[in-house]
Amino acid sequence: MLTLTSPVETPLHRLPAGAKLAALATFTVVLFWLKSPVALALALGGVVALHVPWGAAFTTHAARMLRPLWPFVAVVAAWHLWIGEAASGAAVILRMVTAVAAANLVTMTTRLSDMITVLERLAAPLAPLLPPRRLALAFALVIRFIPTLAARMVQITEAWRARSPRRPGWRVLVPATLAALDDADQAAEALRARGGAE
């Protein structure tokens, strides 16, 4: 979510985060009701149309954010071609790409702090069991730690390759886990030093 933030300011940034998240949830439910590839293609066209008015830089950034999805698209396409259900495969792929593109659009145009505020409001009924502020803080920390842990995993894998001709495989799991625990411990100490999460 941190890397998805759009470098281009659009009018969508000024819409309330709660409204955008509610619209995304409704749109996703509708997507799963649609079965026809034609209807799903129209839905995808609608999502693309929401990107285009904000310029080439915005649209290109959104397209780059879909890159991790393409291996899944290839696997789904190959499987459905193998079993002879091309129309069903097209529907699955269109639904998947449309849902992710819509979610990316919301994330690109919504600050993380605004999403956390919405999460706090939604978690208010859980206050007797779990303070909403702590849940929101945990949400933010998870989002922040994912890229950090991914980078740490890459460093550990490269260190292994520099010292051994064998593939790292499962051998990097223990040092990666210890690094994650160390990072979590340092984050906890920093939070305690600043008064913790009330």
Side-chain angles (χ1 to χ4, degrees):
M1 289 177 72
L2 296 172
T3 57
L4 280 173
T5 304
S6 170
V8 179
E9 184 77 15
T10 73
L12 297 176
H13 286 77
R14 294 190 286 274
L15 296 176
K20 285 187 279 190
L21 291 170
L24 176 63
T26 304
F27 180 70
T28 305
V29 169
V30 171
L31 272 183
F32 280 90
W33 280 344
L34 297 176
K35 304 297 180 191
S36 164
V38 175
L40 289 163
L42 289 172
L44 178 58
V47 173
V48 171
L50 288 173
H51 288 79
V52 173
W54 320 124
F58 185 85
T59 307
T60 303
H61 183 70
R64 273 200 307 270
M65 294 304 103
L66 288 175
R67 199 177 299 156
L69 196 61
W70 299 128
F72 297 99
V73 169
V75 169
V76 171
W79 171 253
H80 282 84
L81 287 172
W82 176 263
I83 62 175
E85 295 184 7
S88 176
V92 171
I93 290 169
L94 286 167
R95 187 178 293 117
M96 179 169 57
V97 172
T98 305
V100 173
N104 284 354
L105 178 62
V106 170
T107 307
M108 285 172 63
T109 59
T110 309
R111 291 192 310 244
L112 180 59
S113 58
D114 293 340
M115 288 197 183
I116 290 172
T117 301
V118 172
L119 179 63
E120 282 187 55
R121 284 201 300 266
L122 292 174
L126 300 175
L129 300 173
L130 180 65
R133 184 68 185 157
R134 290 185 186 175
L135 183 62
L137 178 62
F139 177 73
L141 286 173
V142 167
I143 291 171
R144 180 61 189 91
F145 267 87
I146 287 172
T148 302
L149 293 178
R152 183 66 64 93
M153 190 72 173
V154 169
Q155 291 173 348
I156 292 169
T157 303
E158 289 175 353
W160 174 273
R161 288 184 178 140
R163 290 170 175 81
S164 173
R166 292 183 299 171
R167 290 172 57 89
W170 59 269
R171 296 172 185 87
V172 298
L173 291 179
V174 171
T177 302
L178 293 174
L181 291 173
D182 184 54
D183 287 346
D185 190 48
Q186 290 182 29
E189 285 181 12
L191 281 171
R192 278 195 295 270
R194 288 163 177 77
E198 297 301 327

